[in-house]
Amino acid sequence: MKAISKMNDSFFLYGIGLNSFNESNEKAEIDNLIIYSISLNAKKLTMFPRLLRHLFLFIELFFKMFFNAVIIKPNIIHCHDVKVLPIAVMIKYLTRSKLIYDAHELESDKNGITKIFGKFILFTEKLLWKSIDTIIVVSPSIDKWYKENI
């Protein structure tokens, strides 16, 4: 985003991401780039089972990202993670934006996820695939896999 912001000053770039370091929401401005870092209060709900806590995290993340995006009204959404892809798709249709899905790796088959979660990721990608305008992948083999399997 920093590189793009330096290329052209006739537009503004907004980034919305999770603040992993502290509890407060922050806003950083660099030239025509504004980055909102949001914190999630649901992280503190450690008394709940992990699955329920993740559901609360997703709901909180959805509302915080959704309302920021509605105010910003982006022309392009650059989604870096399958976890927020459903949110990005909803924002795309609400704001009539274009959606770029930046799959940093083969999301449904990356290290550290269970087979069940991998199948859920694949289902999510297949369900939302037609809403994605452009995909960015890290290798020709992953590009080929997506073309053949989604």
Side-chain angles (χ1 to χ4, degrees), residues 10 15-16 20 27-29 35 41 59 65 73 75 82 85 93 100 123 127 135 146:
S10 64
I16 301 173
S20 301
K27 177 179 167 183
E29 294 186 41
I35 301 172
N41 295 317
I59 291 168
M65 290 184 127
K73 295 182 177 85
N75 292 317
V82 70
L85 186 59
Y93 287 118
I100 299 170
F123 171 77
L127 181 68
I135 184 167
Y146 273 112

Side-chain angles (χ1 to χ4, degrees), residues 96-136:
R96 295 187 175 108
S97 305
K98 297 290 182 187
L99 176 58
I100 299 170
Y101 179 42
D102 196 342
H104 294 281
E105 53 191 303
L106 188 54
E107 294 290 329
S108 62
D109 194 32
K110 64 183 177 183
N111 286 334
I113 63 168
T114 65
K115 283 190 175 191
I116 293 172
F117 192 58
K119 289 186 184 295
F120 177 73
I121 289 171
L122 182 59
F123 171 77
T124 302
E125 287 178 328
K126 282 185 176 188
L127 181 68
L128 302 175
W129 195 252
K130 290 183 180 178
S131 299
I132 298 168
D133 296 297
T134 301
I135 184 167
I136 297 172

Side-chain angles (χ1 to χ4, degrees), residues 27-83:
K27 177 179 167 183
E29 294 186 41
I30 306 164
D31 298 324
N32 59 335
L33 168 61
I34 299 171
I35 301 172
Y36 296 97
S37 295
I38 56 176
S39 62
L40 297 177
N41 295 317
K43 286 184 191 179
K44 299 174 188 173
L45 302 176
T46 57
M47 73 289 285
F48 290 104
R50 189 172 148 204
L51 184 62
L52 190 56
R53 192 170 60 245
H54 283 295
L55 178 63
F56 290 144
L57 283 165
F58 181 79
I59 291 168
E60 183 180 2
L61 179 65
F62 170 80
F63 282 108
K64 287 185 174 183
M65 290 184 127
F66 187 81
F67 287 118
N68 271 306
V70 168
I71 292 167
I72 294 168
K73 295 182 177 85
N75 292 317
I76 298 173
I77 300 165
H78 190 172
C79 179
H80 287 263
D81 195 321
V82 70
K83 294 173 192 164

